[in-house]
Amino acid sequence: MTTRSASLLALLALSLGSAPAFAQSDHAGHTSAPAGQRGGPVASPPGAAVYFVALRDGAVVPPKFVVNFGLTAMGVAPAGSDRENSGHHHLLIDTELPPLDQPIPNDFQHLHFGAGQTEAEVTLPPGQHTLQLLLGDKDHIPHSPPVMSQRIRVTVSETAGAVAAAPPAAAAPSGPKKRNPSPPDAKVYFVYPTDGAYVSRTPVIRFGLINMGVAPAGVAKANTGHHHLIVDSELPPLDQPIPNDFQHLHFGSGQTEAKVTLPLGRHTLQLLLADEDHVPHDPPVLSKPITVTVTKSGRRPRSASRWRYR
């Protein structure tokens, strides 16, 4: 594990705090929002519930494990898809619920699954963690009433066995997906920050794109894609869907800017565009990696030796 990777995992490990009151849960583990609780403008149908499949409160899991998402009385649709009685999943890690009438943040503690995924491989450092599912509409805003799971606690152990898997889905066709072509001279770049910049712990990253358009995940449109931000990591395989984890942030609703949370210190950032299935184009449309330094003030220290990351 690199030092940068370790720093990101340490940030998660330190973020665990006291849990708020759980939402109301029935005997099957399905959860409903407290009476009268409101979210955004899109209504959820009666009886809608989201829950963890084969992952129980108090489970002991390995550092890398698959989380399966269950949903009743609603359908799954990608971000950007305005389909009635549908939404897409978000996994909250070691954090309380965000404001329920605003877009769910996209950072290390709020993982977005904007392509309509119903499972995800998650990597966590050893120790105790909390997990919670929260459904979002086409704009990543929770429904009214919000559709969220019970907040569960898991313990990550190097010696734990694999989490019991859900029943296997039908086998996918073998071989990599045929990549969508990118047009000549397509380019993605950072509008802000620039290489070598000093930033705060919660900078707003702005994405620039030339000779292509932006379309949400799940929307197949020629010469378009959506942004992914790679943090302190090498490029993933370019013929496969981009991972969705703490070092690969997805912006599947077509965002062209995003507020992210970074720990103090130096970090590398890189943008990578992908198609409706989160697979990079051919040839890939990616920015040059840049290096930023996070300080408490967001400004260059007065003395690098005396005021390190001040």
Side-chain angles (χ1 to χ4, degrees), residues 3 7 22 61 67 106 110 122 166 183 187 189 203 208 228-229 232 271 280:
T3 301
S7 67
F22 287 166
V61 298
V67 181
N106 192 340
H110 305 79
V122 175
K187 178 182 177 182
Y189 61 95
H228 299 76
L229 178 63
D232 294 334
L271 291 171

Side-chain angles (χ1 to χ4, degrees), residues 87-153:
H88 65 280
H89 294 286
H90 301 78
L91 179 61
L92 279 53
I93 302 175
D94 294 336
T95 187
E96 297 184 5
L97 287 168
L100 296 174
D101 58 351
Q102 301 175 27
I104 299 166
N106 192 340
D107 56 32
F108 308 123
Q109 293 177 277
H110 305 79
L111 302 187
H112 288 227
F113 300 97
Q117 301 98 310
T118 57
E119 66 174 41
E121 186 175 80
V122 175
T123 302
L124 292 174
Q128 291 189 334
H129 300 278
T130 60
L131 304 176
Q132 187 170 19
L133 290 172
L134 178 59
L135 208 69
D137 67 12
K138 65 183 179 66
D139 297 316
H140 302 277
I141 300 173
H143 299 75
S144 284
V147 182
M148 56 190 175
S149 75
Q150 179 185 3
R151 192 171 188 247
I152 67 171
R153 293 178 175 86

Side-chain angles (χ1 to χ4, degrees), residues 4 6 32-33 57 72 76 78 89 93 102 104 119-120 129 133 144 148 152 155-156 201 203 240 272 296:
R4 288 170 179 155
S32 59
D57 188 33
T72 60
V76 175
H89 294 286
I93 302 175
Q102 301 175 27
I104 299 166
E119 66 174 41
H129 300 278
L133 290 172
S144 284
M148 56 190 175
I152 67 171
T155 300
V156 174
R201 285 179 280 194
Q240 300 175 25
L272 178 59
K296 293 179 181 178

Side-chain angles (χ1 to χ4, degrees), residues 204-207 251 255-259:
V204 174
I205 312 295
R206 295 185 171 89
F207 320 137
F251 301 98
Q255 302 99 307
T256 56
E257 66 175 43
K259 178 183 284 189

